[in-house]
């Protein structure tokens, strides 16, 4: 049955265009939600609820209002330079965020996060380096941890990619 597949990376909130999608013939077992290719007009012009890589099957839940962050979680953006994150990093990757330099008490936060006390997060988007050579990585993590992470000065973080299926 022809279904819709992501043709290029799409991110949360991105409005779908025909260039973002392609049709693929796949055998779909019962219970697996997909969007039939014939329903393409129903998804074009709608925002993405989640980020998906090329080749991912489009599902009804992946289109619409943002599905992230979930209750009790938040999204934080970090700017990282080459050497501070694996170049293979992409949406969905579980990571550990590590403070790489001493921070001030204000940057450490009330829960005592600081050097040696990493945060677990899931990558939800990666915006390639621009003219300032920093790549912006959007991370979903527990709300309090996101607030603490946002207080760490730029350039003092590293992202460590973890095996899939690990804790978030």
């Amino acid at each position: 049955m022809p279904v819709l597949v992501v043709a290029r990376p799409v991110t949360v909130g991105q409005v779908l265009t025909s260039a973002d999608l392609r049709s693929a013939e796949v055998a779909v077992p019962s219970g697996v939600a997909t969007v039939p290719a014939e329903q393409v007009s129903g998804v074009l012009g709608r925002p993405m609820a989640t980020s998906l890589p090329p080749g991912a099957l489009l599902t009804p839940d992946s289109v619409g209002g943002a599905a992230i962050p979930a209750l009790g979680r938040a999204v934080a953006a970090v700017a990282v330079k080459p050497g501070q994150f694996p170049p293979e990093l992409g949406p969905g990757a579980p990571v550990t965020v590590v403070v790489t330099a001493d921070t001030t008490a204000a940057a450490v936060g009330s829960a005592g996060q600081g050097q040696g006390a990493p945060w677990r997060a899931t990558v939800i988007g990666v915006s390639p380096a621009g003219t300032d050579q920093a790549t912006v990585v959007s991370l979903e993590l527990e709300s309090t941890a996101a607030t603490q992470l946002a207080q760490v000065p730029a350039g003092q973080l590293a992202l460590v990619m973890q095996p899939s299926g690990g804790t978030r």
Side-chain angles (χ1 to χ4, degrees):
M1 152 168 114
V3 298
L4 293 177
V5 176
V6 177
R8 59 185 182 185
V10 292
T11 57
V12 172
Q14 180 178 332
V15 175
L16 287 174
T17 68
S18 58
D20 298 321
L21 302 170
R22 64 180 174 84
S23 176
E25 191 75 34
V26 297
V28 180
S30 65
V32 175
T34 60
V35 177
E38 63 196 27
Q39 294 181 11
V40 67
S41 63
V43 297
L44 292 178
R46 293 188 60 205
M48 287 296 298
T50 187
S51 297
L52 292 174
L57 294 175
L58 194 69
T59 67
D61 290 341
S62 61
V63 180
I68 52 173
L71 187 61
R73 299 186 65 78
V75 175
V78 295
V80 288
K81 296 189 181 222
Q84 293 178 307
F85 68 101
E88 302 82 8
L89 198 65
V95 295
T96 300
V97 184
V98 180
V99 176
T100 59
D102 290 333
T103 59
T104 64
V108 172
S110 61
Q113 290 286 128
Q115 190 165 0
W119 295 277
R120 294 267 190 195
T122 301
V123 175
I124 60 167
V126 179
S127 297
T131 55
D132 67 351
Q133 301 301 311
T135 296
V136 176
V137 179
S138 296
L139 302 169
E140 180 188 14
L141 63 164
E142 191 274 326
S143 292
T144 302
T147 302
Q148 294 167 347
L149 176 61
Q151 296 176 46
V152 176
Q156 296 185 2
L157 296 172
L159 304 179
V160 180
M161 194 161 41
Q162 300 297 327
S164 293
T167 59
R168 289 176 94 180

